[in-house]
């Protein structure tokens, strides 16, 4: 992997509320939604953003260690700052702001309670902040007719809904605007704002609305939690519904790379000095890529091209540990562990038998499961027989994990 610059974007995930309207014993962000906490699901979207970001989780001070465990599970190798929240949402945001890295220019504030927010909405907010230079909030048109009423419930009039937007998070701002507005709000004794756009607008800065996403709805009541569970069950039964199924799943993956005399050979996670290399955006390790495809398809998570892309600058020359580590993290987030994997390499060279045990040990340790590596030639037929390149074909068996993870359950 090449050295990546410090992120210019930070996401503050506020998760320090108690969730009084939800009525669970534990704070809302630590309530389970189809086997994963709201915080873990919210963080999965943040880590699904296009570019790396600084992630700050603001958690109740009773749950800092728990939040760290959830964050490291969701973030894999990426580091996450966890800070204690305050008595109000605004105070929690301020605590998060204090943890921003110096190089951050754009700040998103996101409610952990909006656990199903798509990563693409986070990216859209970042893009809009950076292109306009002012505050951006996602919002949805209001569909109900809205009435203004008296304290006694008498209807006083109808509000023009065309002029209304129901706003969501993540809300994004140039750092200096949010910081200045937050400082001004703390200094004054103004009414507690329920969102950051309110704070920033009160300080006189422009804030605009972009199209929100219905999936970014806030989980406030038990009814909302039920709606979220139903959506997960209906939309992505393979990997996000509660793990009531116990049957293993299988997947297949195939990858091909052409030989390239200017590259070093990396295959089955190993460096092969003196052998012809393979072309590719990453290190061209066809065996590892076939394994990733087999694992992703077994879990119903798409394929390696869709997950990693074919032009991400962070993946130039990346080796198998990067791909396998991220694939394993995604499987775990979807509720699976690896049962076993087999991969067969098809080509004339390199001769695998001398290093088979080494390759199996390395891949097995990366996937925390048995991996078998085999090889074959094609009797001089086809592109592998002519020595133009290598193919690899993999089969993966994955196992659903039980819903409750004892390591992540909260003990007082
Ligand atoms: N939040 C926070 N610190 C607070 C209050 C709220 O970090 N002191 C966070 C919540 O964790 C949530 C988001 O702000 O992710 C939106 O707040 P809300 O939905 O109102 O959550 P709660 O305050 O936890 O719920 P309730 O108002 O029902 O108690
Ligand atoms: Mg609240």
């Amino acid at each position: 992997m090449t050295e990546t610059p410090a992120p210019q974007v930070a996401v503050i995930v506020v998760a320090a509320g108690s969730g009084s309207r939800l009525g669970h014993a534990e704070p809302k962000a630590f309530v389970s939604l189809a086997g994963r906490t709201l915080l873990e699901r919210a963080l999965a979207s943040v880590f699904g953003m296009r570019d790396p970001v600084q992630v700050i989780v603001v958690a109740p001070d009773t749950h800092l260690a728990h939040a760290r465990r959830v964050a490291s599970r969701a973030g894999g190798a990426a580091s996450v700052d966890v800070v204690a929240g305050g008595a109000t949402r605004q105070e929690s945001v301020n605590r998060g702001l204090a943890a921003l890295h110096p190089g951050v220019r754009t700040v998103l504030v996101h409610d952990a309670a909006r656990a199903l927010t798509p990563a693409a909405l986070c990216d859209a907010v970042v893009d809009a902040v950076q292109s306009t230079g002012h505050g951006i909030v996602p919002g949805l048109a209001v569909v109900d007719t809205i009435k203004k009423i008296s304290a006694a419930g008498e209807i006083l009039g109808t509000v023009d809904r065309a002029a209304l937007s129901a706003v969501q998070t993540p809300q994004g701002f140039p750092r200096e605007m949010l910081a200045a507005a937050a400082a001004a709000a703390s200094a004054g004794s103004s009414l507690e704002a329920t969102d950051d756009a309110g704070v920033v607008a009160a300080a006189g800065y422009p804030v605009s609305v972009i199209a929100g996403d219905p999936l970014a709805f806030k989980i406030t009541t038990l009814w909302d939690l039920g709606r979220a569970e139903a959506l997960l069950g209906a939309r992505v039964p393979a990997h996000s519904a509660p793990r009531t199924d116990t049957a293993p799943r299988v997947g297949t993956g195939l990858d091909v790379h052409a030989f390239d005399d200017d590259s070093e050979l990396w295959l089955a996670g190993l460096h092969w000095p003196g052998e012809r290399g393979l072309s590719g955006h990453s290190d061209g390790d066809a065996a590892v890529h076939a394994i990733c495809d087999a694992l992703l398809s077994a879990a119903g998570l798409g394929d390696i091209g869709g997950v990693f892309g074919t032009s991400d600058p962070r993946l130039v020359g990346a080796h198998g540990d990067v791909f396998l580590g991220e694939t394993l993290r995604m499987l775990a987030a979807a509720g699976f562990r690896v049962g076993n994997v087999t991969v067969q390499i098809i080509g004339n060279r390199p001769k695998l038998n001398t290093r088979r045990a080494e390759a199996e040990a390395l891949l097995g340790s990366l996937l925390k499961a048995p991996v078998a590596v085999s090889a074959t030639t094609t009797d001089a037929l086809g592109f592998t027989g002519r020595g133009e390149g290598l193919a690899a074909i993999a089969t993966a068996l994955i196992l659903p994990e039980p819903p409750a993870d004892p390591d992540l359950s909260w003990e007082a």
Side-chain angles (χ1 to χ4, degrees), residues 14-22 28 86-89 92 111-113 218:
V14 283
S18 62
S20 53
R21 287 170 289 179
L22 190 63
K28 184 161 73 179
T88 63
R89 184 184 182 283
S92 293
D111 294 334
K218 186 156 72 79

Side-chain angles (χ1 to χ4, degrees), residues 25-276:
E26 63 274 70
K28 184 161 73 179
F30 299 86
V31 167
S32 170
L33 163 56
R36 306 282 145 188
T37 61
L38 297 194
L39 177 60
E40 187 171 353
R41 291 190 180 277
L43 285 173
S45 301
V46 172
F47 285 109
M49 289 172 69
R50 192 183 47 214
D51 299 318
V53 297
Q54 182 195 1
V55 179
I56 300 167
V57 173
V58 187
D61 56 8
T62 51
H63 281 62
L64 294 176
H66 193 184
R68 274 189 206 100
R69 287 200 295 272
V70 170
S72 70
R73 176 167 163 148
S79 82
V80 178
D81 296 295
V82 176
V83 300
T88 63
R89 184 184 182 283
Q90 206 171 314
E91 179 53 29
S92 293
V93 172
N94 290 345
R95 304 273 183 97
L97 286 172
L100 287 174
H101 290 166
V104 166
R105 307 268 41 101
T106 301
V107 181
L108 267 54
V109 182
H110 186 40
D111 294 334
R114 299 181 189 271
L116 301 188
T117 304
L121 186 64
C122 304
D123 287 327
V125 171
V126 171
D127 290 344
V129 172
Q130 292 178 344
S131 65
T132 61
H134 56 69
I136 295 292
V137 303
L140 294 177
V142 173
V143 292
D144 292 316
T145 298
I146 307 291
K147 301 289 185 192
K148 190 169 168 51
I149 56 168
S150 70
E154 190 195 346
I155 290 177
L156 304 174
T158 301
V159 182
D160 176 15
R161 70 180 175 207
L164 299 179
S165 177
V167 302
Q168 308 175 314
T169 74
Q171 302 190 347
F173 311 90
R175 177 187 184 153
E176 62 285 357
M177 281 186 198
L178 181 58
S186 309
S189 56
S190 59
L191 270 182
E192 197 63 42
T194 53
D195 77 345
D196 309 286
V199 173
V200 170
Y205 297 112
V207 184
S208 327
V209 174
I210 62 166
D213 191 305
L215 285 173
F217 70 97
K218 186 156 72 79
I219 296 171
T220 306
T221 61
L222 275 179
W223 191 87
D224 298 325
L225 191 65
R227 175 152 73 119
E229 299 223 340
L231 279 165
L232 285 171
R235 223 164 41 90
V236 276
H239 49 278
S240 291
R243 283 262 82 84
T244 48
D245 55 325
T246 52
R249 293 159 180 264
V250 293
T252 311
L254 170 75
D255 194 37
V256 170
H257 283 277
F259 282 122
D260 166 20
D261 286 331
D262 296 330
S263 303
E264 311 228 292
L265 181 65
W266 285 82
L267 191 64
L270 299 178
H271 181 215
W272 299 75
E275 293 282 348
R276 289 177 78 192

